[in-house]
Amino acid sequence: MTKRWGDKRYYSLDYYVKKHCGEKLYKIALNGGMSCPNRDGLLGDRGCIFCSAGGSGDFASSPALSVHEQIVEGKKLVARKYTGGSYIAYFQAYTNTYAPVTYLRPLFMAAIKEPDIKILSIATRPDCLGEEVLSLLSELNKIKPVWVELGLQTIHEGTANFIRRGYPLAVFDRAVDALHKADIDIIVHTILSLPHETREDMQKTITYLNTKPIQGIKLQLLHVLKGTDLEIHYRNGDFTLPTMDEYFSILSGCLTHLREDIVVHRLTGDAPKHLLVAPLWTADKRQVLNKMNHYLKEHDIWQGKEWFPS
Ligand code: SF4
C-alpha cells in the first residue's frame, strides 16, 4: 500500500482538510431551529426509528441562540482540544433545508460571513432540496465551499421502510444529480449494522455509492439511543449489535470496497454518553479509533483494496 493518505489506511477527513485548506479545521455543530418532515406530521410524527429527540444533533447548541452566539459557544467548547482558528459551520440538528429560503438565507449567511468559518456543511434529507434551495446553496457555494450531507443510511428499500426513512432511493439519486450539477460537494451518511442487513447488503450500499458523483461518506455504526423506537426493538431482542472486533471486520469489508477518492468523514459513531444504550464499547471514541487503525494495519486493509473500476 502506498502512503497516499499519510499514516491512515483510508482517505480521512483530516487528511483532506489539511491538504485543501492547509490546516486542521474543527467542526462546530449548529442548530438552525428547523424540524423534519418525519417528525412534524408531513411524512410521520415519530421520526426515523433510530433518531434521538434532538434530531441527531445532540452536540449542537440551542436554537434559541443566534448563529453567531452558537459559533462563539462552539469555539469555547473546543478551545481545550483545538488551538487553531478555522472552523466548519455544521448545521447538524434535524433537517437543515426544511424551511423557505427566506428563513434559510439569513441563517446560512450568518455562518458564512464569520471570518473563521471556512466551510459551510449542511445535513439534510434528499427530499428537502427544492429548486429554490438548490439555487441558494449554489449561490453560497460561490462565497465559501458548501457541503451537503444526505442521510441515506442504506440503499435497501426493505430496511429503509423499517427505519421509516420516508423516501425511496430514486429521490436520493435525483438529489445527488442536482447537487452535482450545482457543483456542490456531497457527503452521504450511511449506517452500518442496521437490523437484518448482512455484510453483503452493506457492501452493496457502498458499491452503489461508488457509482455516484459523491465526495464524502460517513460510515456510522448503528447506535441505540434512549427513548427511540429502536431501543424498544433492541430490548425485545429483535436484533443484535456487533462486538468491536465484529464491527472492525464489517467496516473493513466496506472500506475495501469504497472508491479511493471518497473522503471518509466518520468511521464509528458519536453519541452523547447519557443517551447511549448500546453498543457501550463505542463510548470511548478515541480508544475505538486507535484500535481500529491498529486492526486495519494488522489485517492489511486499505480503502479501495477490492474496488475495481470497470
Ligand atoms: S434522522 Fe433526520 S430525517 Fe430522520 S427523523 Fe431524525 S432528523 Fe428527521
Side-chain angles (χ1 to χ4, degrees), residues 193 199 221 240-251 279-282 288 295:
S193 293
R199 284 167 195 248
L221 168 61
T240 54
L241 288 165
T243 63
M244 194 190 292
D245 267 359
E246 283 166 353
Y247 181 61
F248 291 165
S249 167
I250 289 168
L251 188 65
L280 291 174
W281 58 261
T282 61
V288 173
Y295 180 99

Side-chain angles (χ1 to χ4, degrees), residues 286-301:
R286 184 184 293 260
Q287 192 193 52
V288 173
L289 284 172
N290 286 341
K291 286 190 174 173
M292 188 205 61
N293 284 321
H294 182 74
Y295 180 99
L296 297 179
K297 210 177 249 180
E298 195 180 66
H299 292 81
D300 201 24
I301 301 292

Side-chain angles (χ1 to χ4, degrees), residues 30-31 65-72 91 106-108 110-111 114:
L30 303 171
N31 189 330
L65 300 177
S66 70
V67 168
H68 174 72
E69 288 166 335
Q70 290 189 44
I71 289 172
V72 171
F91 284 88
L107 193 75
F108 295 151
E114 297 268 340

Side-chain angles (χ1 to χ4, degrees), residues 36 38-39 47-48 50-51 55-56 94-95 125:
C36 149
N38 256 3
R39 289 185 169 275
C48 298
F50 53 81
C51 184
S56 299
Y94 302 97
T95 297
R125 296 168 53 92

Side-chain angles (χ1 to χ4, degrees), residues 139-196:
E139 186 188 322
L140 298 171
N141 195 35
K142 292 187 177 82
I143 305 171
K144 285 183 186 171
V146 173
W147 296 349
V148 170
E149 179 182 319
L150 298 174
L152 174 70
Q153 327 312 356
T154 175
I155 61 161
H156 303 287
E157 299 293 356
T159 320
N161 290 337
F162 178 72
I163 63 174
R164 299 196 299 255
R165 188 179 67 190
Y167 67 82
L169 187 59
V171 169
F172 168 81
D173 291 341
R174 280 198 290 276
V176 167
D177 288 346
L179 288 164
H180 178 57
K181 216 165 141 198
D183 205 20
I184 292 169
D185 276 14
I186 304 162
I187 299 153
V188 180
H189 189 282
T190 63
I191 299 183
L192 303 181
S193 293
L194 282 163
H196 318 305

